[in-house]
Amino acid sequence: MKRCIVLGKPNVGKTLLALALADYMKVKDVEITFQDPGGARYSRKYPMDIAIRELVGTLPHQTRCLQSLSLEFRAGKGKKTVELVDTTGLIDEIHDDPLTRKAMAQTLSAIRSAQIIIHVIDAHLLGDADGLSDPREGDLDMQLAAFAGPRGGYCIVANKMDLPGAKRGLARIRRLFTGYKVLPVSAATREGLKEVRRHVLRNL
Ligand SMILES: Nc1nc2c(ncn2[C@@H]2O[C@H](COP(=O)(O)OP(=O)(O)OP(=O)(O)O)[C@@H](O)[C@H]2O)c(=O)[nH]1
Ligand SMILES: [Mg+2]
């Protein structure tokens, strides 16, 4: 089974994107397997609306472990299953909390086992950063693109396109990440999910 990992900074919409994609692909009750950095593993099934209510949040580091779900794609006469893995948000600094640090290390090591990588960036936040200079060379998103980009199956999702300033943010992302595939998406309104699905399918 191929693995598709969803990663990026905290609060950019990784969890909502993963669930919105499953919803777009008609998953009704979503079974999430939680794999915590200590090695414990357990699964829980949720109706989609409850999963969104419980797993998506406004506080950074809402997600603190690997959270995977299965997506089925029709391939010829058969089916292919993809493990879609939502991860802990990554930050530039060393986090104060040891458990969050462990969860971030777990995210980084999961990149190596993924064949498909969806790097989520908040387009609204970048577009809103009026007067701010462009991210520094060492910015985490730049580092992630440099690390994960050359691997196959990589794309950037410019998320939150429904919010003000996101169009400007998208233009900025396209300029800063020249040469990478950039997909404009709103996980909230479901805009752009067709292209995300197609990206996964093309890399199966
Ligand atoms: N308007 C809008 N809000 C969004 C969108 N995607 C996510 N959000 C909101 O952004 C906040 C963070 O969403 P999450 O999906 O929890 O973000 P995350 O990247 O998983 O966050 P961590 O797990 O903390 O790293 C929530 O309040 C979401 O409702 C979007 O496309 N548009
Ligand atoms: Mg999350």
Side-chain angles (χ1 to χ4, degrees):
M1 180 166 32
K2 292 219 173 168
R3 234 181 175 203
C4 172
I5 189 169
V6 181
L7 45 84
K9 290 180 179 172
N11 220 41
V12 294
K14 299 176 296 298
T15 301
L16 188 57
L17 176 77
L19 293 172
L21 183 62
D23 191 37
Y24 174 75
M25 292 180 67
K26 310 265 187 282
V27 174
K28 288 276 169 281
D29 292 319
V30 61
E31 181 162 13
I32 309 272
T33 300
F34 298 84
Q35 195 187 324
D36 76 38
R41 206 183 162 96
Y42 58 97
S43 297
R44 195 180 146 191
K45 217 171 194 174
Y46 303 80
M48 185 57 77
D49 55 332
I50 307 285
I52 291 175
R53 201 166 69 210
E54 291 197 6
L55 303 175
V56 172
T58 46
L59 291 177
H61 295 301
Q62 173 86 13
T63 308
R64 282 157 190 266
C65 67
L66 301 183
Q67 291 180 182
S68 35
L69 60 92
S70 292
L71 292 179
E72 282 196 344
F73 289 80
R74 239 180 283 138
K77 284 182 186 163
K79 278 190 220 158
K80 279 191 176 168
T81 307
V82 175
E83 185 190 15
L84 183 67
V85 188
D86 176 25
T87 62
T88 304
L90 298 167
I91 58 170
D92 281 313
E93 302 89 34
I94 295 173
H95 200 279
D96 294 342
D97 171 34
L99 286 179
T100 311
R101 284 206 297 274
K102 270 194 178 170
M104 285 195 269
Q106 182 193 32
T107 297
L108 288 172
S109 71
I111 298 176
R112 294 177 198 282
S113 64
Q115 294 76 29
I116 305 165
I117 300 167
I118 298 176
H119 174 184
V120 185
I121 300 180
D122 184 337
H124 142 263
L125 205 63
L126 268 190
D128 222 30
D130 241 349
L132 288 182
S133 51
D134 277 346
R136 290 166 287 117
E137 193 54 30
D139 172 77
L140 184 100
D141 282 319
M142 308 288 240
Q143 288 188 47
L144 269 183
F147 176 60
R151 309 173 75 91
Y154 174 82
C155 77
I156 292 173
V157 159
N159 192 34
K160 307 201 185 182
M161 288 305 299
D162 59 296
L163 292 179
K167 282 210 174 98
R168 199 169 32 197
L170 172 65
R172 208 169 193 188
I173 291 169
R174 289 216 156 107
R175 182 166 49 78
L176 289 166
F177 298 90
T178 314
Y180 297 110
K181 187 194 238 182
V182 177
L183 305 175
V185 170
S186 165
T189 66
R190 312 293 198 252
E191 170 198 342
L193 292 179
K194 186 176 171 191
E195 287 70 26
V196 178
R197 181 186 176 279
R198 191 182 297 149
H199 174 76
V200 177
L201 186 59
R202 280 212 178 121
N203 287 285
L204 289 185

